[in-house]
Amino acid sequence: MEAESGERRKEGISHFVLIHGACHGAWCWYKLSDLLKKAGHRVTAVDLGGAGLNPNDGDAIRTLAEYNQPLADIMKTLPDGDGPDEKEKVILIGHSLGGVDLTCMMEQFPHKIAVAVFLAAFMPVPGTTPLQLIGQFYQRYQTWGDMEFKYGLDGQPTSFKFGSNFALDYLYQKSPSHDITLAESLLRPHPVLDEEVVFSSENYGRVPRAYIVTKHDNIIWEELQRKMIADNPPDRVYQLEDSDHCPFFSCPIQLAQVLEEISTAF
């Protein structure tokens, strides 16, 4: 699903492209999208492979390219961002595991991105796999809770989906109950991908980066976010004091304010 509003970018108006995290979809941005649109911005939220209204089966996806194809298709339609198209560059935002997909787009389309925003997101170093990133959760808590896994014939996991108790304890503990009910009805299985994330200083490295820390995050906890920031320092760091892992539910107004600030800074 793709949601867009507003005119072509002009002075003071930005185009935000929103990348959801694991098991979520474009639907999770509904509060933030509304706030940004009301402020006059253009918003595009995308369903990645097997997510939201995307027709593919997440359990059958095996590569990052396949999973990211809907996002890459959108990026291909955008102006090049050079010369007279400079103001047409987008602000690309990746949440949670969507930081991997954001990283891939930075490598593929650096000239089209004004700033890449990692929102409570994994900010991988070269050679890291998505499976290794989510494995950090198990290393800390020694449990997957009621996470739902599917397995291939070789016994290896092919997809996962957040269980209701897991989501409440680790994703949405400060979020409104109606948003939790919405999420429970719309979450879909996310592919387990063991493919290395590859990027270069020539492409990824030319894109300005901002990181938004979520203070009360239970799945990508603050210490882990700070470690990623220290290992791969972005240009600017912001913090949401009252947010759980999903600020688009728990504190959308504050999130929109930070994004407005980012839009004027880059």
Side-chain angles (χ1 to χ4, degrees), residues 46-241:
V46 60
D47 284 323
L48 298 176
L53 295 178
N54 183 274
N56 294 330
D57 180 2
D59 192 53
I61 292 174
R62 295 291 178 267
T63 68
L64 282 169
E66 187 179 1
Y67 179 66
N68 285 328
Q69 190 61 56
L71 177 58
D73 289 343
I74 289 174
M75 296 298 295
K76 290 174 184 176
T77 68
L78 299 175
D80 282 340
D82 295 321
D85 288 332
E86 176 71 22
K87 291 187 177 181
E88 297 289 342
K89 289 185 177 182
V90 298
I91 297 175
L92 204 57
I93 303 165
H95 174 247
S96 193
L97 197 56
V100 171
D101 315 302
L102 172 56
T103 297
C104 293
M105 295 303 104
M106 293 167 67
E107 180 66 18
Q108 290 181 247
F109 306 100
H111 52 294
K112 298 188 177 188
I113 305 169
V115 56
V117 182
F118 290 80
L119 172 61
F122 287 115
M123 192 162 54
V125 296
T128 309
T129 72
L131 183 59
Q132 290 172 332
L133 293 173
I134 63 176
Q136 293 176 92
F137 172 87
Y138 188 83
Q139 291 172 11
R140 178 181 175 91
Y141 293 106
Q142 294 298 301
T143 181
W144 291 114
D146 62 347
M147 187 97 80
E148 302 168 16
F149 289 93
K150 290 185 179 180
Y151 297 87
L153 295 176
D154 59 358
Q156 296 301 308
T158 54
S159 69
F160 66 89
K161 180 184 173 186
F162 300 125
S164 296
N165 293 332
F166 184 99
L168 182 60
D169 291 341
Y170 297 106
L171 303 180
Y172 311 134
Q173 82 274 9
K174 295 177 72 68
S175 296
S177 60
H178 60 268
D179 287 324
I180 298 173
T181 300
L182 174 70
E184 287 178 344
S185 67
L186 295 175
L187 293 173
R188 291 181 62 187
H190 185 279
V192 172
L193 301 174
D194 197 20
E195 175 185 349
E196 290 189 357
V197 180
V198 179
F199 56 88
S200 65
S201 58
E202 292 78 13
N203 295 320
Y204 170 96
R206 67 182 274 193
V207 180
R209 284 178 293 125
Y211 198 102
I212 303 178
V213 175
T214 42
K215 185 74 174 175
H216 299 281
D217 199 316
N218 286 341
I219 191 166
I220 305 180
W221 51 98
E222 183 182 2
E223 293 84 355
L224 179 55
Q225 294 180 57
R226 297 288 181 187
K227 181 180 185 303
M228 291 187 289
I229 290 168
D231 289 344
N232 188 14
D235 297 276
R236 298 203 181 190
V237 178
Y238 303 82
Q239 180 165 295
L240 294 171
E241 293 289 343

